[in-house]
Amino acid sequence: MTDSSSTSKNLDPAESFWKQNGKRYAEAIEESTLKNSQVAFELTNHLFPKRKLDVLEIACGSGIYGKWIFENHSDLINHLALCDINEPMIELCKIRFEKIPNSEKVKIVNCSCLDLTENFSEKFDVIFGFSIIYLLTDPSELVTKLKPLMKEDSIFIFSLFSDFEKSI
């Protein structure tokens, strides 16, 4: 597992909120996140059958989805990258991956989803973002920031709400 961090001493209001509340939020949505993850990966596997994938999860929180995909489909993962703005959540994410075989295929970064090109040079087949779009002031800015990280036939899968029945 590789590690990269870009943190700021002056937290903006969003960073401050997530630093204080991120762990509680992740625990509250863990079950729906796993359900979203399973459906999203089935879709991904259908779109890219028998292809080893380079995957990025933005706003990964404590790494619930990343761990699930890696444990259940590591044979389909070439490289898995996870990022989140919340440093305590990134620390929990690193703990989730400590004892998982082949975790050298995983890169965990503490950064905003709007600072991705400064933290990733690789391109991805699939980018996931669960329960993130509605938190952004300008979602189109995120799409613009993701574009340089996407391969020609990449997909971006996101949910609009953490309630499984109302997402994906």
Side-chain angles (χ1 to χ4, degrees):
M1 174 177 57
T2 58
D3 174 15
S4 178
S5 296
S6 73
T7 57
S8 169
K9 292 184 182 187
N10 298 323
L11 298 179
D12 70 28
E15 288 175 288
S16 179
F17 173 83
W18 289 112
K19 189 170 186 113
Q20 292 175 4
N21 300 293
K23 184 175 181 181
R24 189 175 57 215
Y25 176 80
E27 289 168 353
I29 68 162
E30 184 165 345
E31 184 178 331
S32 64
T33 298
L34 285 173
K35 289 178 184 177
N36 286 343
S37 303
Q38 293 163 356
V39 171
F41 198 77
E42 286 175 26
L43 172 63
T44 301
N45 198 29
H46 177 74
L47 294 172
F48 299 107
K50 298 183 179 166
R51 175 169 154 184
K52 285 211 172 244
L53 301 171
D54 294 309
V55 177
L56 169 63
E57 182 184 6
I58 59 173
C60 70
S62 64
I64 296 164
Y65 171 65
K67 182 178 181 214
W68 180 86
I69 189 176
F70 206 74
E71 287 182 330
N72 291 282
H73 299 286
S74 63
D75 57 320
L76 301 175
I77 302 300
N78 185 49
H79 174 248
L80 173 64
L82 303 114
C83 73
D84 199 282
I85 196 169
N86 184 325
E87 192 170 351
M89 296 303 284
I90 285 295
E91 292 307 314
L92 289 172
C93 186
K94 290 175 186 176
I95 291 167
R96 284 188 191 275
F97 282 91
E98 279 179 351
K99 296 178 181 165
I100 296 178
N102 299 317
S103 63
E104 69 276 358
K105 295 163 74 173
V106 179
K107 179 179 180 181
I108 301 171
V109 179
N110 178 217
C111 74
S112 165
C113 61
L114 300 178
D115 296 329
L116 295 168
T117 54
E118 289 98 38
N119 291 280
F120 297 99
S121 57
E122 55 267 60
K123 293 192 180 277
F124 299 93
D125 298 295
V126 182
I127 300 176
F128 294 100
F130 298 115
S131 302
I132 178 70
I133 295 292
Y134 65 92
L135 299 172
L136 300 173
T137 305
D138 182 6
S140 65
E141 182 181 8
L142 174 63
V143 174
T144 301
K145 298 280 187 170
L146 292 177
K147 194 165 184 147
L149 298 173
M150 299 178 82
K151 294 179 182 178
E152 190 172 311
D153 61 347
S154 293
I155 59 172
F156 173 41
I157 298 176
F158 63 93
S159 66
L160 295 174
F161 190 72
S162 62
D163 184 351
F164 178 69
E165 284 74 26
K166 297 176 184 172
S167 63
I168 297 196

